[in-house]
mmCIF file with all atom_site columns, all heavy atoms in Angstrom:
data_model
loop_
_atom_site.group_PDB
_atom_site.id
_atom_site.type_symbol
_atom_site.label_atom_id
_atom_site.label_alt_id
_atom_site.label_comp_id
_atom_site.label_asym_id
_atom_site.label_entity_id
_atom_site.label_seq_id
_atom_site.pdbx_PDB_ins_code
_atom_site.Cartn_x
_atom_site.Cartn_y
_atom_site.Cartn_z
_atom_site.occupancy
_atom_site.B_iso_or_equiv
_atom_site.pdbx_formal_charge
_atom_site.auth_seq_id
_atom_site.auth_comp_id
_atom_site.auth_asym_id
_atom_site.auth_atom_id
_atom_site.pdbx_PDB_model_num
ATOM 1  N N   . CYS A 1 192 ? -95.370 71.367 -108.573 1.00 0.00 ? 367 CYS A N   1
ATOM 2  C CA  . CYS A 1 192 ? -95.152 72.076 -107.298 1.00 0.00 ? 367 CYS A CA  1
ATOM 3  C C   . CYS A 1 192 ? -93.754 72.692 -107.288 1.00 0.00 ? 367 CYS A C   1
ATOM 4  O O   . CYS A 1 192 ? -92.763 71.967 -107.223 1.00 0.00 ? 367 CYS A O   1
ATOM 5  C CB  . CYS A 1 192 ? -95.258 71.112 -106.118 1.00 0.00 ? 367 CYS A CB  1
ATOM 6  S SG  . CYS A 1 192 ? -96.758 70.168 -106.098 1.00 0.00 ? 367 CYS A SG  1
ATOM 7  N N   . PRO A 1 193 ? -93.658 74.008 -107.348 1.00 0.00 ? 368 PRO A N   1
ATOM 8  C CA  . PRO A 1 193 ? -92.343 74.643 -107.241 1.00 0.00 ? 368 PRO A CA  1
ATOM 9  C C   . PRO A 1 193 ? -91.940 74.772 -105.763 1.00 0.00 ? 368 PRO A C   1
ATOM 10 O O   . PRO A 1 193 ? -92.704 75.295 -104.960 1.00 0.00 ? 368 PRO A O   1
ATOM 11 C CB  . PRO A 1 193 ? -92.555 76.032 -107.862 1.00 0.00 ? 368 PRO A CB  1
ATOM 12 C CG  . PRO A 1 193 ? -93.981 76.076 -108.307 1.00 0.00 ? 368 PRO A CG  1
ATOM 13 C CD  . PRO A 1 193 ? -94.716 74.995 -107.628 1.00 0.00 ? 368 PRO A CD  1
ATOM 14 N N   . ILE A 1 194 ? -90.781 74.252 -105.475 1.00 0.00 ? 369 ILE A N   1
ATOM 15 C CA  . ILE A 1 194 ? -90.312 74.275 -104.075 1.00 0.00 ? 369 ILE A CA  1
ATOM 16 C C   . ILE A 1 194 ? -88.943 74.938 -104.016 1.00 0.00 ? 369 ILE A C   1
ATOM 17 O O   . ILE A 1 194 ? -88.049 74.594 -104.784 1.00 0.00 ? 369 ILE A O   1
ATOM 18 C CB  . ILE A 1 194 ? -90.200 72.846 -103.504 1.00 0.00 ? 369 ILE A CB  1
ATOM 19 C CG1 . ILE A 1 194 ? -91.528 72.108 -103.647 1.00 0.00 ? 369 ILE A CG1 1
ATOM 20 C CG2 . ILE A 1 194 ? -89.765 72.862 -102.047 1.00 0.00 ? 369 ILE A CG2 1
ATOM 21 C CD1 . ILE A 1 194 ? -91.437 70.641 -103.315 1.00 0.00 ? 369 ILE A CD1 1
ATOM 22 N N   . THR A 1 195 ? -88.812 75.865 -103.092 1.00 0.00 ? 370 THR A N   1
ATOM 23 C CA  . THR A 1 195 ? -87.495 76.474 -102.843 1.00 0.00 ? 370 THR A CA  1
ATOM 24 C C   . THR A 1 195 ? -87.033 76.031 -101.464 1.00 0.00 ? 370 THR A C   1
ATOM 25 O O   . THR A 1 195 ? -87.770 76.182 -100.486 1.00 0.00 ? 370 THR A O   1
ATOM 26 C CB  . THR A 1 195 ? -87.579 78.014 -102.899 1.00 0.00 ? 370 THR A CB  1
ATOM 27 O OG1 . THR A 1 195 ? -88.127 78.385 -104.164 1.00 0.00 ? 370 THR A OG1 1
ATOM 28 C CG2 . THR A 1 195 ? -86.214 78.647 -102.720 1.00 0.00 ? 370 THR A CG2 1
ATOM 29 N N   . ILE A 1 196 ? -85.854 75.459 -101.415 1.00 0.00 ? 371 ILE A N   1
ATOM 30 C CA  . ILE A 1 196 ? -85.301 75.022 -100.125 1.00 0.00 ? 371 ILE A CA  1
ATOM 31 C C   . ILE A 1 196 ? -84.138 75.938 -99.774  1.00 0.00 ? 371 ILE A C   1
ATOM 32 O O   . ILE A 1 196 ? -83.237 76.145 -100.595 1.00 0.00 ? 371 ILE A O   1
ATOM 33 C CB  . ILE A 1 196 ? -84.817 73.564 -100.179 1.00 0.00 ? 371 ILE A CB  1
ATOM 34 C CG1 . ILE A 1 196 ? -85.979 72.630 -100.522 1.00 0.00 ? 371 ILE A CG1 1
ATOM 35 C CG2 . ILE A 1 196 ? -84.209 73.145 -98.851  1.00 0.00 ? 371 ILE A CG2 1
ATOM 36 C CD1 . ILE A 1 196 ? -85.555 71.197 -100.696 1.00 0.00 ? 371 ILE A CD1 1
ATOM 37 N N   . ILE A 1 197 ? -84.200 76.485 -98.594  1.00 0.00 ? 372 ILE A N   1
ATOM 38 C CA  . ILE A 1 197 ? -83.111 77.356 -98.120  1.00 0.00 ? 372 ILE A CA  1
ATOM 39 C C   . ILE A 1 197 ? -82.486 76.686 -96.901  1.00 0.00 ? 372 ILE A C   1
ATOM 40 O O   . ILE A 1 197 ? -83.187 76.378 -95.932  1.00 0.00 ? 372 ILE A O   1
ATOM 41 C CB  . ILE A 1 197 ? -83.650 78.755 -97.743  1.00 0.00 ? 372 ILE A CB  1
ATOM 42 C CG1 . ILE A 1 197 ? -84.368 79.383 -98.952  1.00 0.00 ? 372 ILE A CG1 1
ATOM 43 C CG2 . ILE A 1 197 ? -82.521 79.651 -97.267  1.00 0.00 ? 372 ILE A CG2 1
ATOM 44 C CD1 . ILE A 1 197 ? -85.161 80.630 -98.615  1.00 0.00 ? 372 ILE A CD1 1
#
Side-chain angles (χ1 to χ4, degrees):
Chain A
C367 307
I369 305 171
T370 304
I371 300 176
I372 303 169

